Amino acid sequence: MNKTQIRSNRTWKWVSAVLLICLIAYIAFYPPTKHAAGSAGTVEPVAKVNGVSINSEQLYQAMLASGGQQTLDSMISEELINQEGQKAGITVTDEDIDKEVANVKGSYGSDAEFQQALTSYGMTIDDLKKSMKSQVLLKKILTPQITITDDEIKKYYDENLETLKVPEQVQASHISVATKEEADAIIADLKNGADFATVAKSKSLDTATKDNGGSLGYISSGNMDEAFDTAAFALKVGETSGAVKTSTGYDIIKVTDHKAASTPTMEEKKEDIKSAITTQKLASLSTTWLQDKKSQSTVENYLSKPKGA
């Protein structure tokens, strides 16, 4: 697993946790029993196992027991962040959210990988944006407290030069189909003047890219299927491949740009390095900041109290 994939996995574990917290929080504060059908005191079944019902009250109690406290802690933290943001007169704009989404997107090897990650979590861009508001607000609150020296920037550059290097890349689009016969028919249509993007939208099986005309954006070697990789990097700009057999079927690939591998200077990467160091410091600072705010605030957590207390 490469570093880009590691960063991506960490990001999406966080996002999935946010979504789970939202689900549990909804159940905790709007329990199914409030919406149960039927006579008073009855609850509706949510499943049956060999005729034995599991009802909504059992589901609610199980989810509350397994994640209720952790969920409530997260909601308390979110409320503290919102209150501190209001005190400081800080707001989160659509532009702020878009920038944060772009940062997450940039941690993936290509646009297609990012879209596939969204799809695998059953998310849309709008879902991701909604989940990031508190994170962006906390960043805006704490960033002014962070200073970064030139020595820190140089140290980061020297220690991370290999990961800062830009590998060879191609800008590619593809049409994915199940059989060689389908691929050959499409290749014939393309040779007769059919538009690649239009054909991708109507015939490609890749749901993550078809609506965007099959565009994969810029891809680096090693991030795609091996056969796909070999074919894509062998193409010249403007060329379209034949039928390429991959692990999922057959692909027709079109390359529209090529970038040679390069090593950026420290000055060229200075802003990116500042952003990376800021993120590292924010991770540490946010933990102590939240602990301090909780200790300075009146927080009544009724879930943590023993029953009957």
Side-chain angles (χ1 to χ4, degrees):
M1 181 177 288
N2 60 37
K3 287 184 174 62
T4 296
Q5 291 170 315
I6 291 170
R7 289 197 303 271
S8 302
N9 287 343
R10 286 175 179 169
T11 299
W12 286 98
K13 282 179 183 177
W14 178 85
V15 171
S16 63
V18 169
L19 294 179
L20 180 60
I21 284 169
C22 292
L23 172 63
I24 297 174
Y26 177 83
I27 293 175
F29 290 94
Y30 300 94
T33 51
K34 291 186 179 180
H35 308 287
S39 59
T42 63
V43 290
E44 61 186 37
V46 292
K48 282 189 177 181
V49 181
N50 295 324
V52 178
S53 294
I54 298 173
N55 63 46
S56 54
E57 172 64 17
Q58 290 172 301
L59 174 63
Y60 162 62
Q61 292 296 341
M63 295 187 76
L64 190 60
S66 64
Q69 188 61 65
Q70 180 180 355
T71 301
L72 187 55
D73 286 342
S74 296
M75 294 177 73
I76 288 169
S77 295
E78 184 174 346
E79 180 57 31
L80 284 171
I81 294 168
N82 288 335
Q83 290 180 13
E84 290 302 315
Q86 289 173 1
K87 288 179 188 176
I90 296 172
T91 58
V92 175
T93 65
D94 290 342
E95 185 180 357
D96 294 327
I97 296 291
D98 288 341
K99 184 178 179 181
E100 197 68 19
V101 170
N103 288 338
V104 173
K105 190 174 182 180
S107 69
Y108 285 82
S110 67
D111 289 347
E113 286 183 61
F114 174 67
Q115 291 298 329
Q116 286 166 357
L118 283 176
T119 301
S120 69
Y121 280 93
M123 292 180 69
T124 64
I125 286 287
D126 286 340
D127 294 329
L128 181 59
K129 287 179 179 180
K130 289 175 185 176
S131 72
M132 285 188 160
K133 184 175 179 180
S134 289
Q135 177 181 324
V136 175
L137 182 55
L138 183 59
K139 181 183 285 189
K140 292 185 79 170
I141 292 170
L142 297 181
T143 297
Q145 301 178 31
I146 293 172
T147 57
I148 299 170
T149 66
D150 288 341
D151 286 343
E152 287 177 301
I153 293 172
K154 185 178 187 309
K155 183 173 184 289
Y156 186 99
Y157 178 82
D158 292 339
E159 291 179 351
N160 296 276
L161 183 57
E162 285 304 310
T163 61
L164 293 172
K165 290 180 179 178
V166 181
E168 181 185 9
Q169 295 179 313
V170 292
Q171 185 180 44
S173 300
H174 78 138
I175 301 169
S176 178
V177 293
T179 67
K180 189 174 188 301
E181 289 73 23
E182 291 174 284
D184 288 340
I186 288 172
I187 291 167
D189 288 341
L190 294 172
K191 287 180 178 178
N192 288 328
D195 179 66
F196 193 98
T198 302
V199 175
K201 289 179 181 179
S202 63
K203 295 186 177 181
S204 181
L205 298 178
D206 184 358
T207 56
T209 64
K210 64 180 297 181
D211 291 339
N212 198 27
S215 174
L216 293 163
Y218 282 93
I219 58 174
S220 304
S221 181
N223 285 331
M224 305 295 286
D225 180 281
E226 185 177 353
F228 187 105
D229 229 31
T230 301
F233 281 86
L235 292 170
K236 295 178 181 178
V237 174
E239 286 186 338
T240 300
S241 74
V244 179
K245 190 176 188 326
T246 67
S247 58
T248 58
Y250 286 84
D251 278 50
I252 303 102
I253 307 164
K254 182 177 180 179
V255 168
T256 50
D257 194 18
H258 176 272
K259 292 181 179 180
S262 63
T263 301
T265 64
M266 187 174 71
E267 193 60 34
E268 288 172 335
K269 299 300 293 184
K270 190 171 185 177
E271 291 307 313
D272 289 339
I273 292 172
K274 280 184 178 179
S275 178
I277 296 174
T278 297
T279 299
Q280 290 175 355
K281 292 191 174 186
L282 279 172
S284 174
L285 181 59
S286 62
T287 301
T288 55
W289 182 87
L290 273 172
Q291 289 173 345
D292 289 343
K293 292 304 173 185
K294 284 181 180 180
S295 67
Q296 296 165 12
S297 302
T298 302
V299 178
E300 299 177 73
N301 186 336
Y302 302 119
L303 282 186
S304 63
K305 292 182 178 181
K307 290 185 178 179

